[in-house]
Amino acid sequence: MSGNTSPAETTRVHKLNNNDVNKAGTFVLYWMSNSLRSHYNYALAHASYLCEKYEMPLRVAHVFDAVAQDGKPLPERHAAFQLESLSDVQKDMHERNVPFVVINGSHKARDAVPALAEDAVAVVTDTSYLRKGRSDRHAVATALPIPLYAVEADVVVPVQTVSSKSEYAARTIRPKITRALKDYLVPMKNVELTNQTNCDLKRWVSSANPDLSLLTLEDLDESLKGMEGLDRGAPRVRFFKGGQEEAQKRLTTFLDEKLREYGGGRNEPAKQLQSDLSPYLRSGNISPVDIALHTKAKATKKASWKESEESFLEELIVRRELAVNACWFNADAYDVYEQIVPNFARESLALHKSDKRPKIFTYEELEAAVTEDPYWNAAQLEMVVKGKMHGYMRMYWVKRIIGWVEDPADAMDYAIRLNNRWELDAVDPNSYAGVIWCFGLHDRGWTERPIWGKVRYMNESGLKRKFNMPAYIAYVDKMVASEGLPRHIAELRKKHKMGGQQQTIDGSRKRLRSRKATSSSSKSGLRGSESKSVKRIKM
Ligand SMILES: Cc1cc2nc3c(=O)[nH]c(=O)nc-3n(C[C@H](O)[C@H](O)[C@H](O)COP(=O)(O)OP(=O)(O)OC[C@H]3O[C@@H](n4cnc5c(N)ncnc54)[C@H](O)[C@@H]3O)c2cc1C
């Protein structure tokens, strides 16, 4: 990043306290919190800009947190993904002679960062849009005697540049984002680090605070095993390896093999045409600007890809940044049923609260996928085993939970907890906006019906009509057969006489075949049909 920062780059940067730089400092510290990458990282770029300005070397630190962004113990699968991500960063930092440390999870960032910054000129971090991340940053900003800059490294357009309020729906935020793209959807300047000097990492950390300990990334399995406080019930998954290298590979595969068909086929669960980039976006392994620019470059060459390009960028930019907007402007409310679910939906769900539900399931039963709905069970098990449920099934999954839990507030709570425990792309603003969309957020009222009231409804026959559901079940079945299930889930399924997964899925498949389920791969998914009347992003 050169000395001339563009307006777009400076509006990404927010100074979180009023302190002056420490002129006697000996380095600039980048507290890498959420954006676990060195490539295309605006926070790193800002840190390097300060290094150039003050003629200082850069140091980078991450404080591993065994508490997830929802305040719950970090699931083991998320911890593994983060370690893999950090290992990639470490490699690159090492090559660029940038001191990089990961502090063990028993220390909170609010204690560790000020200690590590004792001799720093200033500290830079990346922005969090969730409550815990925001509160950590404010605590660090208060504890530091020097500036703390938070840089919006993981969105295309900075949240407060887009809008000054919580937006009503995609249609209200879309024009605001679209207007800003000419300034923000532009290539990032290269980060140059010219003042690097050697640093004894152990000495730096122990002199900062003798209680701080370094997390080693040489043997990730060992490091993972030794971590305290993790949620071991949600074990590591094999299908996603964290890190910027893998993120770039996934992007290339998506552009080469899936983008062309994305517009028409992304909703079909068995086709798996989505990019699979959400876990990488969630952990900041890749920049949405980087993804969007590559997508545009790829699609420009092929006129027939326009629809796919537009619908992918609609999801990546408009829908994703609508979720960021919702969490940012509802910081204390985004997970509180009474405050975040729109009035029309809450009133209507309350009116229908006493409607008879054909079946009630507990949280544990839902987690173990013991319902009588084979599609729902498959979606739940896809999330458990793979770490990522297909996007279309996520909507169906929550809509069905509303019908199986007596109190809609509990239904929302169950969905958020399950989502955040098992999805590798959680905990993220999208986790909350996604679940709560199913309760009417950013949506409108629909024809009133029992249980769901005016909240948009989805049912099994819609899935059967539009998609090849037997193929989806077979896909999940195969994964479950090869990976097995976490013990507590397998045990509960046994108790419910679901038998092994094979038996259940095979049974479901037989039932499905006998119903002659159609296998049309419909273009008109729920959001697809919605998008016929709603404009897509045009760039
Ligand atoms: C109930 C429910 C829960 C969800 N939970 C999460 C979650 O925890 N984390 C998460 O990242 N997304 C969540 N989503 C949004 C969406 O389903 C996922 O982002 C998407 O399926 C991820 O797969 P992909 O990266 O292959 O998507 P692609 O279709 O390839 O899309 C590319 C990117 O666009 C963004 N995107 C796609 N669909 C949406 C959407 N509907 N809303 C906002 N952004 C979108 C994501 O960042 C995604 O990575 C949820 C949606 C629902 C309905």
Side-chain angles (χ1 to χ4, degrees), residues 254 262 274-279 281 312 315-316 319-320 323 388-391 394-395 397-398 419-420 423 425-426 428 430-431 434-435 437-438 527:
F254 172 67
Y262 180 88
Q274 292 186 281
S275 67
D276 279 343
L277 284 169
S278 55
L281 282 159
F312 181 69
E315 301 298 339
L316 175 73
R319 302 284 170 164
R320 183 168 179 270
K388 181 171 178 285
M389 189 193 297
H390 186 273
R394 295 190 197 207
M395 300 186 269
W397 176 79
V398 174
N419 186 90
N420 289 356
E423 298 280 24
D425 53 25
D428 184 270
N430 266 351
S431 316
V435 168
W437 177 83
C438 300
R527 293 268 304 285

Side-chain angles (χ1 to χ4, degrees), residues 322-341:
L322 177 63
V324 167
N325 169 281
C327 288
W328 182 265
F329 288 105
N330 298 283
D332 295 323
Y334 62 68
D335 50 356
V336 182
Y337 180 84
E338 292 72 20
Q339 292 175 35
I340 194 70
V341 173

Side-chain angles (χ1 to χ4, degrees), residues 344 443-449 453-457 530:
F344 87 85
D443 202 3
R444 62 176 173 86
W446 293 74
T447 309
E448 193 159 2
R449 64 172 59 244
K454 291 184 183 164
V455 167
R456 189 199 290 250
Y457 174 69
E530 185 200 4

Side-chain angles (χ1 to χ4, degrees), residues 49-68:
Y49 161 75
L50 294 179
C51 288
E52 205 176 301
K53 183 169 172 183
Y54 297 107
E55 297 181 1
M56 287 288 152
L58 174 70
R59 294 185 190 179
V60 180
H62 176 82
V63 183
F64 198 93
D65 199 339
V67 178

